[in-house]
Amino acid sequence: MTESTHPSRRAVVTALGAAGFVALPAWPQTARAADGPAVAAATGPVLDTHPDTEPSGTHVREVGGTNVVFQYGTVLPAFDGWRTHEPTREYLTLDKKWRFRFDPDDQGLAEGWQSAHHDDGAWGLIDVPAAWDLLNTPGFGSQTTPFGQGTAFSDGYAWYRTTVDVPGSWRARHVRIAFLAAGYSAEVWLDGTRLGKHEGANSPFALPVAGALRPGTRQTIAVRVFRRASYTDYTASTGQAVTDDYEVPYKPVDYWPYAGLTRSAWIEAVPQVTITKLLVSGANGRLEARAVVENHSASDFDGRLTLDPGRDSGAPPVRVEVRIAARSAGVVPVSVPVPHAPRWSPAAPHTLTARATLTSGKSSGPRVDTLSTVYGVRDLTVGDAQVRLNGKPLFLKGLNWHEETAAHGRAMTPAEYDRELGHITALGANLIRNCVYNRHPYVYDWADEHGVTVMDDIDTMWLNTAQEKLQTERYGLARALALTMAWNQHNHPSVILWGLQNESEIDADGAPVYRAWLADLKAAVKAVDLTARPVTWASNTSNDPAFDLADVIGFNEYFGYFYGKDADLGPTLDAVHAKYPDKPILITENGTWSEAGTHGPDTTQGTEEWQAASFTAHWAQVTARSAFVAGFTYWVLKDYKERAGYNQAYNGISVMGLLTFAEERPKLVYDAFREAVNPRGR
């Protein structure tokens, strides 16, 4: 493909006129103490400390007409380094064995475990990525093993340490340490210099290391990870729940809170002038791109940015002029007609790769940096009680699923992802709901490639009015999770819905707080999403006082299990539709349970026959109303681990899945779901 070496004047003027820049925000680059000593709850377990607001400093700034997400004093970067290595950058993987030690008495910080000089020779070893739950918990995947034993129940602080040889060539580079996940929170030091703290078990983060980096030497990385205990006693019949109003979620929930460095980590050295993020939107026959460029140098940068919309896009590369002031971030907008590019859909999941290349000077100067991203061209609209993709109404045959296996917990291998996600397509599903946290980037790539749509979620589960108020008015962690979700998953054509919360409380006097909280989360994702994806949430009621704020009405229903009768679903859907006639409705959860191998009448709870019959009854009522019901999302693909100990849990395994937990053996409901016909096809 031949590049267009003479961009139109309109393209140049558009870039210069809109690409304003802002100074990079200040961020501490010297060592300091933690936010205070850990404190013991009244019941005994240690609680983590919290600053006045969530510790990453996540916020949005308008840069040249584009809203940009900042964290730790820099633009929140793309996290493709786990699989894609740009030719202009250097990478050091941190996926290896680290030194590891539990710190139940919170003594490590005072004893200098973060220091490069600390002797960790007697420490144990742990793989990164891995969940420390599986370090030593025999029978974790068994339904008969006694509950409450092993490292799966080791809470509080634990430390990781490793060394890296930093190349001398990095003296003129901007360097950051990236983690795809650390559960629940993590503080990071480089040779004793505290780089920052992250909170939120399932969202990636990257810490700049300026001021702490010593190129040409061996340096020590130390990470202190914290997980709150769920209960004061896991073996007691009525253990007291341990809560923390600042954490999200703030109390025990019905999924397992895997601990440790559960996803990949690496160090990335990029040029001082770098393309930090490439936002793209392919719709209505155009590719709209926003290249976010940071200039970490002391000199202004003048050059060009070339955007190649990708092979099969039907469009040539476009070049625009760029100027970014020293110590600033700017946005370079590029709009490219791609009328002949293939569209993405579940039936034909065509993806393309866009690449931005930054060169210095007004003419064809040397290459400075590159960044690529996968995207799809598709038109997504909501209206007249329907969700339409490329102009055609969708019916979402969906599955909730938890990211875990009995062998590795949340630190799944690619082979495990392929095996588990393979059930999605085998079952004829076209939607996965990422209940209730962001997944590994592998999942979004897989969905793009296999034509499976995604409802993405954040960790805002079971909050009450007090936490909703705290998050909205003061702490801001829920908002940070919403912003980073929309920013990180922005380019994936498979992601069609932003989920804002799951079954959070709405008390008699709390509706105004609840509405304000959801409005805040909705504003966050809408601020950074160029594609204006619809928002929804998994309400615990069909009479939610904030449904008018939703683009798609979503609620969980368990008629015939927790309350009422199976047949109550249809009249409930009719009532919601009568109240909101223009909004599509999505059942975000419905399911029952069965203990594998238990058979009997389909009216007897706990039999595989009853579980299958319940699904079939709900499916029939939903599909009969496909004119205004956009889909049904079954709870859940596979039996799953939890600490909350209800919904028929055995050794913490809730048996509500289509598949068993460890063996992944299908139950009768698996076949019933597979045979359920989508009223609108794939």
Side-chain angles (χ1 to χ4, degrees), residues 27-313:
W27 192 258
Q29 295 181 350
T30 58
R32 66 176 180 83
D35 297 308
V39 295
T43 51
V46 170
L47 298 180
D48 199 10
T49 58
H50 301 277
D52 291 336
T53 59
E54 66 86 18
S56 71
T58 302
H59 66 282
V60 172
R61 292 186 174 194
E62 183 180 337
V63 183
T66 298
N67 288 324
V68 175
V69 177
F70 288 80
Q71 257 188 13
Y72 305 108
T74 61
V75 175
L76 181 62
F79 288 95
D80 295 329
W82 71 277
R83 62 164 172 77
T84 302
H85 288 184
E86 297 291 342
T88 54
R89 305 178 180 191
E90 297 174 77
Y91 303 82
L92 283 178
T93 182
L94 298 177
D95 288 0
K96 57 181 180 178
K97 290 190 180 296
W98 291 50
R99 292 289 184 180
F100 178 79
R101 181 177 176 181
F102 287 112
D103 186 11
D105 298 321
D106 187 27
Q107 66 193 53
L109 194 62
E111 294 182 1
W113 294 6
Q114 73 276 24
S115 170
H117 306 294
H118 181 75
D119 183 3
D120 58 18
W123 290 25
L125 295 172
I126 192 171
D127 288 324
V128 172
W132 80 49
D133 306 77
L134 278 300
L135 192 61
N136 184 18
T137 307
F140 182 77
S142 167
Q143 290 187 196
T144 59
T145 299
F147 191 74
Q149 300 176 4
T151 55
F153 303 91
S154 296
D155 300 312
Y157 293 104
W159 287 75
Y160 293 71
R161 286 170 56 92
T162 192
T163 59
V164 292
D165 292 320
V166 182
S169 60
W170 286 11
R171 288 183 178 87
R173 311 285 271 178
H174 174 69
V175 181
R176 54 193 175 229
I177 304 179
F179 298 86
L180 287 183
Y184 163 78
S185 65
E187 289 178 90
V188 183
W189 289 263
L190 183 61
D191 275 359
T193 296
R194 185 180 187 272
L195 302 181
K197 180 178 180 179
H198 178 77
E199 188 174 347
N202 303 288
S203 56
F205 61 103
L207 296 161
V209 301
L213 193 71
R214 293 187 293 112
T217 68
R218 176 168 294 178
Q219 294 195 261
T220 298
I221 302 171
V223 184
R224 183 174 76 152
V225 178
F226 177 83
R227 173 173 63 184
R228 185 187 78 249
S230 297
Y231 296 94
T232 56
D233 185 346
Y234 293 107
T235 61
S237 57
T238 56
Q240 181 179 346
V242 179
T243 65
D244 183 338
D245 284 347
Y246 289 83
E247 291 194 7
V248 177
Y250 81 100
K251 66 178 181 179
V253 292
D254 69 334
Y255 63 88
W256 198 272
Y258 290 98
L261 302 180
T262 55
R263 296 178 187 152
S264 289
W266 67 94
I267 307 177
E268 186 172 357
V270 303
Q272 289 283 345
V273 183
T274 180
I275 307 167
T276 310
K277 181 74 175 180
L278 184 60
L279 293 175
V280 297
S281 168
N284 302 314
R286 300 192 71 83
L287 171 62
E288 298 289 343
R290 303 289 184 270
V292 186
V293 180
E294 286 184 305
N295 182 357
H296 293 277
S297 75
S299 303
D300 295 347
F301 175 83
D302 290 285
R304 289 187 175 190
L305 185 133
T306 301
L307 182 75
D308 185 344
R311 185 179 301 174
D312 300 328
S313 68

